[in-house]
Amino acid sequence: METIFESIFDDLANGASNLSIPYRSRTATARSRLLPDAHDSSAAGVRPDGLVTFPGRTPHEANKFASLLRILEISREAIATGTVITKRNIYYQNTDLFKHQRVVDSLVDDLAFTLGVGRDDLNIVAAAKGLIAGPVTLTMRNNSVIPCGLSHESGTLIPTPKLIRKIDFGLTAWILVIEKEATFRTLAAAGYHTKSLAGHGILLTGKGFPDLATRSFLNIIHSARPHMPMYALVDYDPDGLSIVRTYQVGSSSLFHEADTIAPELRWLGIRSDQILPSTQSTETSASTQSSQETSDGSGHEPSIAERSGDELSQLNRTPRPMHNRNAPLEALSQLTPRDRRMAISMLQGISQEQRVGDTDGLDQMRELQMMLMLNIKAEIQAVDNLGDITHWLDERLCE
Amino acid sequence: MSKQYLTLHTVDNAHIADIFSLAATKSCILSASGSSTLHIHATTTSSSFPLIQSISNAHRLGIHHVCTSRGGPGHVAVSAGFGGELKVWTCKDTGDWVLYHEIAPDKSRAWAVALSADENFLAATTEDGRVVVWDLAAKSKVQTYETGSTSTGGGPFGLAVDLSRDGRLTASGHQNGGVYVFNNDTGRMVYSLSGLAKPVRAVAFSPGCKRLAAAGDAGIIALYDMEHGEHVGNMGGGGLGNAWITSLDWNETGEYLLSASLDGKVKVWDVARGACVATHSETDKALWSARWLPRSDKALGPGMAKGEMFATAGANRSVTFYREATGIDTR
């Protein structure tokens, strides 16, 4: 970064006709081709990377140059003073210059990519939106202490991961990543992180699609405790699977951001076999020999009384009440055309990656195909018991 | 009276992904799954039903449907991929299947497929509720049936389709429980059938073309008369939480109907009596397809009896073959 500023100052001192900032777009590079906005005609000669120059060929490029220069100034000052600035703050420095928040977001990420660093190395962070609840204590670099187990109702806002100096995990045995804030708040209010049969744990939500700070935080937790199990609880729909996959492998638009992925995250649910009526048989199936039933009657299914008897005997065989009942049909809904397009797009993405030994990918492909076959989706509420999902979670966390 | 069917053989791990569809000819059975490969097993040469061909990369995102003509010569098969593309395969004299034609994905992707008995026509449902018919010799689209208004984004998702063996009718089953029958000569819808209020995942014309069977998430099989479009009866049901039916297939005489369901059960129904005469539960995982095997003109291999046979496949990734117990065969 200093080299960029020195180069600009030298050009100014020498009366050069152009000023330039190296710039590589992530999307252009992702397409395996460089897309330079301009070529530098300075005495330094043509560079292999693209450049944004001033005054440039278009007003758009001039604006881009000014925006990049401003972001570099802000980042440089943040690094020098040891502070961190959010992308939101950058936008508000010069709203007229940047015009839209997404312009700042995109330029910051492209700049990090060009310089070959993570966004955090520029001391620029996204405003965190993730919440955490659990018996852990975070000590920040400025020595402030954040206990995360006190706010039962609302959880604790995830701090800037870069500024965390130490995490005291206490008795924490697991972490559960939850798609929806409402589910998170319900579980936090119930104190599930300390009352679970699986022991103490951390509840974390990214409030839908996870931002980089939340993903970085999960990565930090995993780095500190590599063997602590991590689970994901999302809706049974393409968005839910997309969220799991983003935590596991990152998003395609930010592939240069290291330290933001959690490949060991396990998808706890919601899965097709947890919601479908009749896909879980309560009968003992003879796998080695066929069991043929014959009937002389009308072929009716067993009567309600008979089924109740089966269910009662099933209950008696377990030490805890069975909460494995299938979702009520009202909790299932039909995939929208957008859902189907997204599922197919994800199938394409996973099949293109074709990572060796990507068992998670194969598992996710199977579930996406099941969604498409069934043409249904379901929310987390599909498996709760009148709003209480704790028993369902206990069973799966204790497996 | 009950009917006995024996489990003849199971091809374990026939696919590396869940099997979603089966299609039978007189000499082989094709299976399609979430993997990109079509597998073909011989059905007349050996009771182990050996794998005789694998077509790799048939559909990159996996295959959800495959069909052959019911009652036809069995020289053509059509497969449908999750990406929305259809591929037409022909069987050479050597027994090898080769690609004959590919139909690119439409704006609204194709879903279920059916071939006419003479193998000249292909019918496919779409996600926006249409039924499209292609002339395979001309490689062109010849008819499009609508079940909803195009101005409102089309009709309900078409989950199932069948063509009557006389070529006269096309039937489709839809997400909203609708069952529609179209006259191929006039190009018009002739019946809109009610009786199933939940998604209809299978429709099948009887070999004599007089009856249509339909089934799906309601867990019952509805029977309709094709002369007047009347709902003439139901089979199954009567209980709460019936398993969703995923597949239906009539045997060659039209006496028996095969059904497969998500609870892993395959059932044989005596249509005249409206009764289930046999149930098998080789697996408790979802079954996606059940197909009778057409009687072969050729001599059967050693160990294979002459009883009527059917095959099932689903989420356990195996193909299981059943044979009628000949000791009780009354024919």
Side-chain angles (χ1 to χ4, degrees), chain B residues 43-116:
Chain B
T43 54
T44 58
T45 56
S46 166
S47 59
S48 66
F49 301 91
L51 177 69
I52 54 175
Q53 188 181 354
S54 295
I55 304 176
S56 300
N57 291 313
H59 295 271
R60 193 166 58 87
L61 302 185
I63 309 160
H64 52 79
H65 281 90
V66 63
C67 73
T68 51
S69 62
R70 305 304 287 149
H75 296 152
V76 178
V78 179
S79 56
F82 281 101
E85 72 285 351
L86 303 175
K87 289 191 176 180
V88 184
W89 311 87
T90 54
C91 188
K92 297 177 358 180
D93 291 341
T94 58
D96 285 338
W97 291 85
V98 296
L99 182 64
Y100 164 78
H101 180 46
E102 177 171 357
I103 299 172
D106 199 358
K107 173 174 60 68
S108 182
R109 277 172 291 268
W111 189 248
V113 285
L115 270 175
S116 60

Side-chain angles (χ1 to χ4, degrees), chain A residues 230-262:
Chain A
M230 302 188 295
Y231 305 100
L233 177 66
V234 298
D235 287 351
Y236 180 68
D237 63 13
D239 288 294
L241 255 170
S242 177
I243 287 165
V244 172
R245 195 147 183 88
T246 297
Y247 278 112
Q248 287 174 333
V249 304
S251 59
S252 58
S253 65
L254 293 172
F255 57 82
H256 63 287
E257 289 282 352
D259 300 328
T260 63
I261 58 174

Side-chain angles (χ1 to χ4, degrees), chain A residues 290 292 301 340 366 374, chain B residues 5 18 127 201 267 280:
Chain A
S290 172
Q292 173 164 359
E301 296 290 332
R340 292 191 70 88
R366 186 220 173 232
L374 297 164
Chain B
Y5 289 88
D18 296 15
E127 292 182 355
R201 299 186 185 272
K267 299 188 176 208
H280 273 265

Side-chain angles (χ1 to χ4, degrees), chain A residues 332-349:
Chain A
L332 309 179
S333 55
Q334 186 180 331
L335 293 181
T336 64
R338 174 202 168 264
D339 287 330
R340 292 191 70 88
R341 285 194 297 272
M342 186 176 180
I344 289 164
S345 176
M346 287 184 67
L347 280 177
Q348 285 165 346

